[in-house]
Amino acid sequence: MENQEDGGVLHVVMFPWLAMGHLIPFHHLSTLLASKGHKISFLSTPRNLSRLPKTSPSLSSLINLIPLPFPHLQIQNLPPLSESSMDIPHQQAQLLKIAFDSLETPLARFLESASPKPDWVVYDYASHWLPPLAADLGISAAYFSLFNAANMAFIGPPSMVLEREYARTTAEDFTVVPRWITAPSEIVYRRHEVAKFMESSKGNESGTNDVERFAGSIGRSDVVLFRTCVEFEPDWFDIVCELYNKPVLALGFLPPQLVSNEVGGNDGEWGEIEGWLEKQRVNSVVYVALGTEATLSQDELTALALGLERSRLPFFWVFRKPPGSIRDQLEMLPDGFVNRVMDRGRVYMDWAPQARILSHPAIGGFLTHCGWNSVIEGLSYGRVLILFPVMNDQGLNARMLAGKKLGVEIPRNEWDGTFTSDSVSDSVRLAMESEEGETLRANAREAKFLFGDKYINERYVDSFVRYFVENRPSE
Ligand SMILES: O=c1ccn([C@@H]2O[C@H](COP(=O)(O)OP(=O)(O)O[C@H]3O[C@H](CO)[C@@H](O)[C@H](O)[C@H]3O)[C@@H](O)[C@H]2O)c(=O)[nH]1
């Protein structure tokens, strides 16, 4: 643990949205702040807290996990034990937002009575109601963006996106560069990706849609934090600074290399997985995983499986049962698939120690849905990407990564998203083996020196911590 600089110890409250892809990076940030001697109160619901990586014993006295009661019974149609986006089909996201909004009162009670008084609360896009609450209590509010700067620039400035004149009302509005971006850009959605994210934001049971949540959360924050390095997306970073017109800080990528003192939450199977990886050639295995929210239709799943089979390359595929599905994963795979690929392919049906797997030298490439956490983890180990976006920010990430030649995107029909098993196997082989893919592989190897570099990423964290100390609210 580092010695404290002048300015003393901070008390920082963390309050992420109810999704693993949000809880994990908030926990990374907590670990890094605690490793510099600051005190963290990490608030979420009981089941989500139990899924976090375990805090290392040297930091556990500084990271306090505070459970907030989850209102299971009061929300009609929300299946029991559904405390995170991983537990529900994406079409039910609005129900989870109702539950999330009900945490306002217990959170307020905590902020009012916490001792020592919190200096900062770090929060997510969904809690648009949090900044005024924090301001009333004299606590500074930092919005932590888990989307990169290119994505947030696309979403737009809070001052504009709620105005009728700028509102995007049709799917087509998302397939073009928005009016507030004047520089040339290819970072736009495909039609089928818009349909998917419209499904997750459809309905308005919580009374507040996602655009209002983003705008409210960012617009009223004291500072906006990005999980990015300016070197990676300098132009987009400049654009968000201009659009937000308030302090904007890059935190670096918070890569796994920096938080190796977090103890894996569910690494019990690691020994067995490592044994399998050890038997494979260096750089030969494709790691396949689609995060915690994206689910595929039966046709998509079949095409993906047959594509992996046809590629004839070794693969490690993380495929958990989709929420709400009554069928077992095995029944969803093509007949005989597991037996046919047994000598070189693994289908792993549980929570996988992803960052640890990606760190293994046997892994050469990563077929990813392009969730920002996964992208960072893959590139921090220099793995070439096979881009397969499904929803949320993923399409825009895929466009940016393909543009930077860090991976190849699996071709899909732009309108309905259909793709063939050949397009999967061709893309996988191109990225992993073909001569044509050598530039991509070289670029991905090079990316590790930014994404996974301890020194560069630590410097970002240090300057962020300095900002937090220097700008803590005065007594
Ligand atoms: O078996 C698993 C599954 C996931 N993870 C971890 O869980 C996180 C998943 O995050 P991400 O790859 O970003 O995917 P999602 O969970 O789908 O993330 C949501 O949140 C991200 C950040 O906002 C967005 O970029 C995504 O589009 C959105 O779907 C990563 O750290 C993974 O390493 C594991 O360790 N093991």
Side-chain angles (χ1 to χ4, degrees):
M1 198 180 300
E2 288 176 13
N3 283 332
Q4 266 311 299
E5 292 169 6
D6 288 352
V9 174
L10 295 173
H11 178 192
V12 181
V13 175
M14 297 283 174
F15 187 59
W17 160 237
L18 307 174
M20 289 314 288
H22 293 232
L23 288 144
I24 292 173
F26 269 74
H27 193 261
H28 289 344
L29 192 59
S30 304
T31 303
L32 291 165
L33 276 162
S35 69
K36 297 185 186 303
H38 299 292
K39 179 180 156 58
I40 307 298
S41 297
F42 194 108
L43 278 71
S44 194
T45 62
R47 190 155 187 235
N48 285 324
L49 292 181
S50 72
R51 288 162 158 167
L52 288 172
K54 302 285 165 273
T55 304
S56 91
S58 62
L59 299 180
S60 55
S61 63
L62 289 171
I63 303 183
N64 213 355
L65 302 183
I66 317 267
L68 299 179
F70 188 86
H72 287 288
L73 296 176
Q74 291 131 19
I75 298 167
Q76 227 184 4
N77 299 330
L78 190 65
L81 297 178
S82 301
E83 292 188 17
S84 92
S85 61
M86 181 166 85
D87 308 316
I88 51 163
H90 66 270
Q91 295 86 344
Q92 291 185 358
Q94 275 288 320
L95 298 181
L96 200 58
K97 301 247 161 78
I98 301 178
F100 183 73
D101 289 343
S102 79
L103 302 180
E104 179 177 354
T105 306
L107 175 75
R109 244 182 257 133
F110 175 84
L111 293 176
E112 277 157 16
S113 59
S115 172
K117 183 182 162 197
D119 298 293
W120 286 92
V121 52
V122 180
Y123 65 101
D124 216 326
Y125 82 98
S127 36
H128 63 105
W129 36 261
L130 193 150
L133 182 70
D136 283 351
L137 296 168
I139 300 169
S140 295
Y143 177 86
F144 182 15
S145 173
L146 300 175
F147 287 0
N148 54 37
N151 261 280
M152 295 310 285
F154 190 91
I155 289 177
S159 55
M160 273 188 190
V161 290
L162 296 178
E163 285 175 28
R164 190 182 285 262
E165 187 194 345
Y166 291 96
R168 285 176 277 211
T169 49
T170 68
E172 281 63 34
D173 292 340
F174 292 88
T175 62
V176 294
V177 179
R179 275 192 278 166
W180 48 82
I181 296 176
T182 48
S185 167
E186 309 226 315
I187 302 188
V188 294
Y189 283 106
R190 307 259 196 261
R191 184 63 174 68
H192 69 93
E193 295 161 349
V194 185
K196 257 288 189 338
F197 77 62
M198 283 192 158
E199 277 173 15
S200 9
S201 47
K202 88 168 177 226
N204 199 14
E205 291 91 333
S206 74
T208 313
N209 65 38
D210 281 354
V211 177
E212 291 162 340
R213 286 180 192 271
F214 269 107
S217 300
I218 297 169
R220 286 178 280 184
S221 62
D222 293 304
V223 58
V224 178
L225 313 173
F226 274 94
R227 188 185 183 188
T228 195
C229 283
V230 179
E231 296 91 320
F232 177 66
E233 42 172 357
D235 298 345
W236 291 116
F237 194 76
D238 282 350
I239 290 175
V240 285
C241 291
E242 253 171 60
L243 294 180
Y244 291 169
N245 196 23
K246 64 168 69 191
V248 176
L249 298 184
L251 296 184
F253 290 117
L254 316 177
Q257 289 85 343
L258 220 56
V259 285
S260 50
N261 53 354
E262 276 183 356
V263 186
N266 182 14
D267 283 5
E269 304 272 319
W270 173 244
E272 188 271 323
I273 295 171
E274 189 183 26
W276 186 86
L277 290 168
E278 291 293 323
K279 293 194 200 107
Q280 315 300 322
R281 271 186 307 116
V282 169
N283 277 340
S284 70
V285 178
V286 192
Y287 176 71
V288 184
L290 307 183
T292 63
E293 296 180 344
T295 50
L296 301 183
S297 68
Q298 182 58 64
D299 284 351
E300 291 173 327
L301 202 59
T302 305
L304 177 60
L306 294 178
L308 290 173
E309 180 177 0
R310 223 163 269 180
S311 77
R312 296 196 301 278
L313 290 168
F315 63 85
F316 189 103
W317 179 11
V318 182
F319 171 43
R320 278 182 310 277
K321 185 168 164 165
S325 164
I326 41 170
R327 288 200 304 154
D328 197 58
Q329 295 102 308
L330 274 179
E331 290 172 49
M332 298 169 124
L333 294 170
D335 276 349
F337 172 78
V338 174
N339 286 337
R340 290 198 301 276
V341 298
M342 207 153 141
D343 57 333
R344 61 181 173 83
R346 289 267 326 249
V347 183
Y348 192 77
M349 302 192 182
D350 204 341
W351 183 263
Q354 174 164 306
R356 220 163 167 184
I357 296 173
L358 284 165
S359 75
H360 195 281
I363 303 293
F366 184 5
L367 192 161
T368 171
H369 69 312
C370 306
W372 190 229
N373 299 287
S374 287
V375 169
I376 289 172
E377 289 159 10
L379 290 177
S380 75
Y381 292 109
R383 310 305 176 209
V384 68
L385 303 176
I386 298 113
L387 308 164
F388 185 61
V390 182
M391 57 199 281
N392 303 336
D393 55 334
Q394 299 154 18
L396 301 186
N397 289 342
R399 297 311 94 76
M400 176 156 76
L401 296 160
K404 289 178 180 288
K405 301 205 177 331
L406 289 162
V408 59
E409 188 168 349
I410 296 178
R412 302 179 77 162
N413 176 303
E414 293 212 1
W415 187 259
D416 61 13
T418 48
F419 60 97
T420 62
S421 53
D422 282 342
S423 67
V424 174
S425 62
D426 291 350
S427 306
V428 169
R429 293 198 67 82
L430 185 148
M432 296 289 289
E433 296 219 320
S434 80
E435 219 180 299
E436 208 187 329
E438 181 46 38
T439 314
L440 305 180
R441 294 193 287 280
N443 291 344
R445 279 195 299 274
E446 184 63 30
K448 152 171 99 184
F449 299 109
L450 177 61
F451 277 78
D453 186 279
K454 259 186 115 165
Y455 175 72
I456 298 174
N457 284 287
E458 221 157 57
R459 246 185 13 211
Y460 272 103
V461 174
D462 287 343
S463 65
F464 145 72
V465 175
R466 213 172 308 124
Y467 180 91
F468 254 30
V469 170
E470 287 170 4
N471 293 280
R472 68 197 300 183
S474 40
E475 291 304 314

PDB file of all heavy atoms in Angstrom, residues 440-464:
ATOM      1  N   LEU A 440      -3.320  -7.467 -38.587  1.00  0.00           N
ATOM      2  CA  LEU A 440      -4.223  -7.413 -37.424  1.00  0.00           C
ATOM      3  C   LEU A 440      -3.535  -7.999 -36.198  1.00  0.00           C
ATOM      4  O   LEU A 440      -3.588  -7.437 -35.101  1.00  0.00           O
ATOM      5  CB  LEU A 440      -5.510  -8.210 -37.689  1.00  0.00           C
ATOM      6  CG  LEU A 440      -6.332  -7.873 -38.931  1.00  0.00           C
ATOM      7  CD1 LEU A 440      -7.557  -8.773 -39.011  1.00  0.00           C
ATOM      8  CD2 LEU A 440      -6.765  -6.406 -38.874  1.00  0.00           C
ATOM      9  N   ARG A 441      -2.892  -9.141 -36.394  1.00  0.00           N
ATOM     10  CA  ARG A 441      -2.226  -9.799 -35.256  1.00  0.00           C
ATOM     11  C   ARG A 441      -1.098  -8.915 -34.708  1.00  0.00           C
ATOM     12  O   ARG A 441      -0.935  -8.776 -33.498  1.00  0.00           O
ATOM     13  CB  ARG A 441      -1.687 -11.174 -35.662  1.00  0.00           C
ATOM     14  CG  ARG A 441      -2.775 -12.175 -36.020  1.00  0.00           C
ATOM     15  CD  ARG A 441      -2.248 -13.581 -36.117  1.00  0.00           C
ATOM     16  NE  ARG A 441      -1.442 -13.827 -37.303  1.00  0.00           N
ATOM     17  CZ  ARG A 441      -1.926 -14.071 -38.528  1.00  0.00           C
ATOM     18  NH1 ARG A 441      -3.237 -14.103 -38.721  1.00  0.00           N
ATOM     19  NH2 ARG A 441      -1.120 -14.289 -39.542  1.00  0.00           N
ATOM     20  N   ALA A 442      -0.353  -8.307 -35.642  1.00  0.00           N
ATOM     21  CA  ALA A 442       0.759  -7.445 -35.198  1.00  0.00           C
ATOM     22  C   ALA A 442       0.202  -6.233 -34.441  1.00  0.00           C
ATOM     23  O   ALA A 442       0.727  -5.841 -33.397  1.00  0.00           O
ATOM     24  CB  ALA A 442       1.574  -7.002 -36.405  1.00  0.00           C
ATOM     25  N   ASN A 443      -0.884  -5.638 -34.950  1.00  0.00           N
ATOM     26  CA  ASN A 443      -1.467  -4.472 -34.268  1.00  0.00           C
ATOM     27  C   ASN A 443      -1.980  -4.845 -32.878  1.00  0.00           C
ATOM     28  O   ASN A 443      -1.833  -4.083 -31.922  1.00  0.00           O
ATOM     29  CB  ASN A 443      -2.630  -3.889 -35.080  1.00  0.00           C
ATOM     30  CG  ASN A 443      -2.153  -3.234 -36.356  1.00  0.00           C
ATOM     31  OD1 ASN A 443      -0.961  -2.952 -36.500  1.00  0.00           O
ATOM     32  ND2 ASN A 443      -3.068  -3.001 -37.287  1.00  0.00           N
ATOM     33  N   ALA A 444      -2.597  -6.031 -32.784  1.00  0.00           N
ATOM     34  CA  ALA A 444      -3.132  -6.454 -31.475  1.00  0.00           C
ATOM     35  C   ALA A 444      -1.983  -6.705 -30.501  1.00  0.00           C
ATOM     36  O   ALA A 444      -2.058  -6.324 -29.325  1.00  0.00           O
ATOM     37  CB  ALA A 444      -3.998  -7.705 -31.644  1.00  0.00           C
ATOM     38  N   ARG A 445      -0.909  -7.305 -31.007  1.00  0.00           N
ATOM     39  CA  ARG A 445       0.268  -7.533 -30.127  1.00  0.00           C
ATOM     40  C   ARG A 445       0.802  -6.197 -29.622  1.00  0.00           C
ATOM     41  O   ARG A 445       1.147  -6.037 -28.470  1.00  0.00           O
ATOM     42  CB  ARG A 445       1.380  -8.263 -30.900  1.00  0.00           C
ATOM     43  CG  ARG A 445       1.189  -9.765 -31.020  1.00  0.00           C
ATOM     44  CD  ARG A 445       2.480 -10.458 -31.457  1.00  0.00           C
ATOM     45  NE  ARG A 445       2.977 -10.036 -32.757  1.00  0.00           N
ATOM     46  CZ  ARG A 445       2.593 -10.569 -33.933  1.00  0.00           C
ATOM     47  NH1 ARG A 445       1.704 -11.547 -33.957  1.00  0.00           N
ATOM     48  NH2 ARG A 445       3.109 -10.134 -35.072  1.00  0.00           N
ATOM     49  N   GLU A 446       0.825  -5.223 -30.520  1.00  0.00           N
ATOM     50  CA  GLU A 446       1.341  -3.898 -30.181  1.00  0.00           C
ATOM     51  C   GLU A 446       0.417  -3.196 -29.167  1.00  0.00           C
ATOM     52  O   GLU A 446       0.886  -2.485 -28.268  1.00  0.00           O
ATOM     53  CB  GLU A 446       1.420  -3.090 -31.498  1.00  0.00           C
ATOM     54  CG  GLU A 446       2.012  -1.726 -31.420  1.00  0.00           C
ATOM     55  CD  GLU A 446       3.472  -1.724 -30.982  1.00  0.00           C
ATOM     56  OE1 GLU A 446       4.182  -2.708 -31.265  1.00  0.00           O
ATOM     57  OE2 GLU A 446       3.875  -0.712 -30.351  1.00  0.00           O
ATOM     58  N   ALA A 447      -0.890  -3.425 -29.314  1.00  0.00           N
ATOM     59  CA  ALA A 447      -1.877  -2.748 -28.444  1.00  0.00           C
ATOM     60  C   ALA A 447      -1.650  -3.077 -26.976  1.00  0.00           C
ATOM     61  O   ALA A 447      -1.968  -2.288 -26.083  1.00  0.00           O
ATOM     62  CB  ALA A 447      -3.290  -3.142 -28.855  1.00  0.00           C
ATOM     63  N   LYS A 448      -1.072  -4.241 -26.740  1.00  0.00           N
ATOM     64  CA  LYS A 448      -0.804  -4.659 -25.359  1.00  0.00           C
ATOM     65  C   LYS A 448       0.100  -3.642 -24.640  1.00  0.00           C
ATOM     66  O   LYS A 448       0.009  -3.459 -23.428  1.00  0.00           O
ATOM     67  CB  LYS A 448      -0.176  -6.051 -25.462  1.00  0.00           C
ATOM     68  CG  LYS A 448       0.729  -6.478 -24.409  1.00  0.00           C
ATOM     69  CD  LYS A 448       1.065  -7.930 -24.583  1.00  0.00           C
ATOM     70  CE  LYS A 448       2.424  -8.037 -25.282  1.00  0.00           C
ATOM     71  NZ  LYS A 448       2.799  -9.404 -25.573  1.00  0.00           N
ATOM     72  N   PHE A 449       0.955  -2.960 -25.421  1.00  0.00           N
ATOM     73  CA  PHE A 449       1.882  -2.008 -24.796  1.00  0.00           C
ATOM     74  C   PHE A 449       1.193  -0.709 -24.371  1.00  0.00           C
ATOM     75  O   PHE A 449       1.788   0.136 -23.730  1.00  0.00           O
ATOM     76  CB  PHE A 449       3.087  -1.740 -25.703  1.00  0.00           C
ATOM     77  CG  PHE A 449       3.857  -3.012 -25.965  1.00  0.00           C
ATOM     78  CD1 PHE A 449       3.844  -3.613 -27.216  1.00  0.00           C
ATOM     79  CD2 PHE A 449       4.530  -3.643 -24.923  1.00  0.00           C
ATOM     80  CE1 PHE A 449       4.513  -4.811 -27.447  1.00  0.00           C
ATOM     81  CE2 PHE A 449       5.198  -4.842 -25.142  1.00  0.00           C
ATOM     82  CZ  PHE A 449       5.191  -5.428 -26.396  1.00  0.00           C
ATOM     83  N   LEU A 450      -0.070  -0.558 -24.748  1.00  0.00           N
ATOM     84  CA  LEU A 450      -0.868   0.547 -24.206  1.00  0.00           C
ATOM     85  C   LEU A 450      -1.927  -0.023 -23.252  1.00  0.00           C
ATOM     86  O   LEU A 450      -2.003   0.344 -22.086  1.00  0.00           O
ATOM     87  CB  LEU A 450      -1.534   1.329 -25.348  1.00  0.00           C
ATOM     88  CG  LEU A 450      -2.450   2.470 -24.918  1.00  0.00           C
ATOM     89  CD1 LEU A 450      -1.680   3.525 -24.119  1.00  0.00           C
ATOM     90  CD2 LEU A 450      -3.092   3.138 -26.143  1.00  0.00           C
ATOM     91  N   PHE A 451      -2.705  -0.969 -23.756  1.00  0.00           N
ATOM     92  CA  PHE A 451      -3.823  -1.488 -22.944  1.00  0.00           C
ATOM     93  C   PHE A 451      -3.335  -2.184 -21.670  1.00  0.00           C
ATOM     94  O   PHE A 451      -3.948  -2.077 -20.616  1.00  0.00           O
ATOM     95  CB  PHE A 451      -4.664  -2.470 -23.777  1.00  0.00           C
ATOM     96  CG  PHE A 451      -5.661  -1.795 -24.656  1.00  0.00           C
ATOM     97  CD1 PHE A 451      -5.269  -1.204 -25.849  1.00  0.00           C
ATOM     98  CD2 PHE A 451      -7.002  -1.730 -24.298  1.00  0.00           C
ATOM     99  CE1 PHE A 451      -6.192  -0.564 -26.664  1.00  0.00           C
ATOM    100  CE2 PHE A 451      -7.933  -1.089 -25.111  1.00  0.00           C
ATOM    101  CZ  PHE A 451      -7.527  -0.507 -26.303  1.00  0.00           C
ATOM    102  N   GLY A 452      -2.247  -2.928 -21.785  1.00  0.00           N
ATOM    103  CA  GLY A 452      -1.823  -3.736 -20.636  1.00  0.00           C
ATOM    104  C   GLY A 452      -0.614  -3.175 -19.914  1.00  0.00           C
ATOM    105  O   GLY A 452      -0.083  -3.822 -19.014  1.00  0.00           O
ATOM    106  N   ASP A 453      -0.180  -1.972 -20.318  1.00  0.00           N
ATOM    107  CA  ASP A 453       1.051  -1.441 -19.719  1.00  0.00           C
ATOM    108  C   ASP A 453       0.779  -0.907 -18.307  1.00  0.00           C
ATOM    109  O   ASP A 453      -0.019   0.013 -18.119  1.00  0.00           O
ATOM    110  CB  ASP A 453       1.605  -0.319 -20.607  1.00  0.00           C
ATOM    111  CG  ASP A 453       2.950   0.158 -20.097  1.00  0.00           C
ATOM    112  OD1 ASP A 453       2.978   0.976 -19.150  1.00  0.00           O
ATOM    113  OD2 ASP A 453       3.968  -0.317 -20.619  1.00  0.00           O
ATOM    114  N   LYS A 454       1.497  -1.475 -17.359  1.00  0.00           N
ATOM    115  CA  LYS A 454       1.256  -1.115 -15.960  1.00  0.00           C
ATOM    116  C   LYS A 454       1.620   0.330 -15.690  1.00  0.00           C
ATOM    117  O   LYS A 454       0.898   1.059 -15.018  1.00  0.00           O
ATOM    118  CB  LYS A 454       2.088  -2.022 -15.041  1.00  0.00           C
ATOM    119  CG  LYS A 454       1.265  -3.125 -14.428  1.00  0.00           C
ATOM    120  CD  LYS A 454       2.055  -3.905 -13.439  1.00  0.00           C
ATOM    121  CE  LYS A 454       1.470  -3.728 -12.058  1.00  0.00           C
ATOM    122  NZ  LYS A 454       1.928  -4.676 -11.083  1.00  0.00           N
ATOM    123  N   TYR A 455       2.752   0.736 -16.246  1.00  0.00           N
ATOM    124  CA  TYR A 455       3.252   2.064 -15.934  1.00  0.00           C
ATOM    125  C   TYR A 455       2.302   3.142 -16.465  1.00  0.00           C
ATOM    126  O   TYR A 455       1.866   4.027 -15.736  1.00  0.00           O
ATOM    127  CB  TYR A 455       4.670   2.222 -16.513  1.00  0.00           C
ATOM    128  CG  TYR A 455       5.220   3.604 -16.345  1.00  0.00           C
ATOM    129  CD1 TYR A 455       5.612   4.058 -15.081  1.00  0.00           C
ATOM    130  CD2 TYR A 455       5.329   4.463 -17.434  1.00  0.00           C
ATOM    131  CE1 TYR A 455       6.099   5.346 -14.922  1.00  0.00           C
ATOM    132  CE2 TYR A 455       5.810   5.743 -17.274  1.00  0.00           C
ATOM    133  CZ  TYR A 455       6.199   6.181 -16.019  1.00  0.00           C
ATOM    134  OH  TYR A 455       6.670   7.456 -15.859  1.00  0.00           O
ATOM    135  N   ILE A 456       1.952   3.017 -17.763  1.00  0.00           N
ATOM    136  CA  ILE A 456       1.065   4.036 -18.365  1.00  0.00           C
ATOM    137  C   ILE A 456      -0.270   4.076 -17.623  1.00  0.00           C
ATOM    138  O   ILE A 456      -0.775   5.137 -17.252  1.00  0.00           O
ATOM    139  CB  ILE A 456       0.805   3.720 -19.865  1.00  0.00           C
ATOM    140  CG1 ILE A 456       2.106   3.758 -20.651  1.00  0.00           C
ATOM    141  CG2 ILE A 456      -0.235   4.664 -20.446  1.00  0.00           C
ATOM    142  CD1 ILE A 456       1.961   3.324 -22.104  1.00  0.00           C
ATOM    143  N   ASN A 457      -0.831   2.903 -17.384  1.00  0.00           N
ATOM    144  CA  ASN A 457      -2.166   2.866 -16.770  1.00  0.00           C
ATOM    145  C   ASN A 457      -2.146   3.310 -15.307  1.00  0.00           C
ATOM    146  O   ASN A 457      -3.108   3.905 -14.820  1.00  0.00           O
ATOM    147  CB  ASN A 457      -2.791   1.483 -16.959  1.00  0.00           C
ATOM    148  CG  ASN A 457      -3.289   1.299 -18.380  1.00  0.00           C
ATOM    149  OD1 ASN A 457      -4.289   1.879 -18.759  1.00  0.00           O
ATOM    150  ND2 ASN A 457      -2.555   0.529 -19.187  1.00  0.00           N
ATOM    151  N   GLU A 458      -1.030   3.054 -14.647  1.00  0.00           N
ATOM    152  CA  GLU A 458      -0.915   3.493 -13.258  1.00  0.00           C
ATOM    153  C   GLU A 458      -0.825   5.019 -13.176  1.00  0.00           C
ATOM    154  O   GLU A 458      -1.383   5.640 -12.279  1.00  0.00           O
ATOM    155  CB  GLU A 458       0.352   2.883 -12.650  1.00  0.00           C
ATOM    156  CG  GLU A 458       0.173   2.378 -11.237  1.00  0.00           C
ATOM    157  CD  GLU A 458       1.241   1.335 -10.950  1.00  0.00           C
ATOM    158  OE1 GLU A 458       2.432   1.667 -11.092  1.00  0.00           O
ATOM    159  OE2 GLU A 458       0.879   0.198 -10.626  1.00  0.00           O
ATOM    160  N   ARG A 459      -0.127   5.593 -14.181  1.00  0.00           N
ATOM    161  CA  ARG A 459       0.001   7.056 -14.191  1.00  0.00           C
ATOM    162  C   ARG A 459      -1.363   7.728 -14.310  1.00  0.00           C
ATOM    163  O   ARG A 459      -1.650   8.731 -13.670  1.00  0.00           O
ATOM    164  CB  ARG A 459       0.872   7.471 -15.373  1.00  0.00           C
ATOM    165  CG  ARG A 459       2.168   8.082 -14.926  1.00  0.00           C
ATOM    166  CD  ARG A 459       2.984   8.591 -16.070  1.00  0.00           C
ATOM    167  NE  ARG A 459       2.230   8.669 -17.312  1.00  0.00           N
ATOM    168  CZ  ARG A 459       2.771   8.506 -18.516  1.00  0.00           C
ATOM    169  NH1 ARG A 459       4.037   8.250 -18.637  1.00  0.00           N
ATOM    170  NH2 ARG A 459       2.029   8.602 -19.612  1.00  0.00           N
ATOM    171  N   TYR A 460      -2.226   7.136 -15.139  1.00  0.00           N
ATOM    172  CA  TYR A 460      -3.589   7.679 -15.256  1.00  0.00           C
ATOM    173  C   TYR A 460      -4.303   7.616 -13.906  1.00  0.00           C
ATOM    174  O   TYR A 460      -4.957   8.560 -13.486  1.00  0.00           O
ATOM    175  CB  TYR A 460      -4.392   6.869 -16.283  1.00  0.00           C
ATOM    176  CG  TYR A 460      -4.253   7.375 -17.704  1.00  0.00           C
ATOM    177  CD1 TYR A 460      -3.452   6.720 -18.621  1.00  0.00           C
ATOM    178  CD2 TYR A 460      -4.939   8.515 -18.119  1.00  0.00           C
ATOM    179  CE1 TYR A 460      -3.335   7.176 -19.930  1.00  0.00           C
ATOM    180  CE2 TYR A 460      -4.840   8.974 -19.420  1.00  0.00           C
ATOM    181  CZ  TYR A 460      -4.034   8.302 -20.318  1.00  0.00           C
ATOM    182  OH  TYR A 460      -3.940   8.772 -21.606  1.00  0.00           O
ATOM    183  N   VAL A 461      -4.182   6.467 -13.235  1.00  0.00           N
ATOM    184  CA  VAL A 461      -4.885   6.310 -11.955  1.00  0.00           C
ATOM    185  C   VAL A 461      -4.334   7.314 -10.945  1.00  0.00           C
ATOM    186  O   VAL A 461      -5.088   7.965 -10.218  1.00  0.00           O
ATOM    187  CB  VAL A 461      -4.765   4.858 -11.432  1.00  0.00           C
ATOM    188  CG1 VAL A 461      -5.374   4.729 -10.039  1.00  0.00           C
ATOM    189  CG2 VAL A 461      -5.445   3.887 -12.395  1.00  0.00           C
ATOM    190  N   ASP A 462      -3.011   7.478 -10.952  1.00  0.00           N
ATOM    191  CA  ASP A 462      -2.415   8.424 -10.003  1.00  0.00           C
ATOM    192  C   ASP A 462      -2.945   9.837 -10.220  1.00  0.00           C
ATOM    193  O   ASP A 462      -3.277  10.539  -9.265  1.00  0.00           O
ATOM    194  CB  ASP A 462      -0.877   8.446 -10.145  1.00  0.00           C
ATOM    195  CG  ASP A 462      -0.264   7.177  -9.570  1.00  0.00           C
ATOM    196  OD1 ASP A 462      -0.953   6.477  -8.797  1.00  0.00           O
ATOM    197  OD2 ASP A 462       0.903   6.876  -9.905  1.00  0.00           O
ATOM    198  N   SER A 463      -3.044  10.252 -11.498  1.00  0.00           N
ATOM    199  CA  SER A 463      -3.485  11.639 -11.674  1.00  0.00           C
ATOM    200  C   SER A 463      -4.975  11.767 -11.353  1.00  0.00           C
ATOM    201  O   SER A 463      -5.424  12.808 -10.852  1.00  0.00           O
ATOM    202  CB  SER A 463      -3.120  12.206 -13.041  1.00  0.00           C
ATOM    203  OG  SER A 463      -3.783  11.526 -14.014  1.00  0.00           O
ATOM    204  N   PHE A 464      -5.740  10.696 -11.564  1.00  0.00           N
ATOM    205  CA  PHE A 464      -7.153  10.738 -11.156  1.00  0.00           C
ATOM    206  C   PHE A 464      -7.272  10.840  -9.632  1.00  0.00           C
ATOM    207  O   PHE A 464      -8.047  11.645  -9.106  1.00  0.00           O
ATOM    208  CB  PHE A 464      -7.874   9.491 -11.692  1.00  0.00           C
ATOM    209  CG  PHE A 464      -8.943   8.949 -10.803  1.00  0.00           C
ATOM    210  CD1 PHE A 464     -10.147   9.629 -10.643  1.00  0.00           C
ATOM    211  CD2 PHE A 464      -8.756   7.764 -10.103  1.00  0.00           C
ATOM    212  CE1 PHE A 464     -11.140   9.133  -9.800  1.00  0.00           C
ATOM    213  CE2 PHE A 464      -9.729   7.267  -9.257  1.00  0.00           C
ATOM    214  CZ  PHE A 464     -10.932   7.960  -9.100  1.00  0.00           C
TER     215      PHE A 464
END
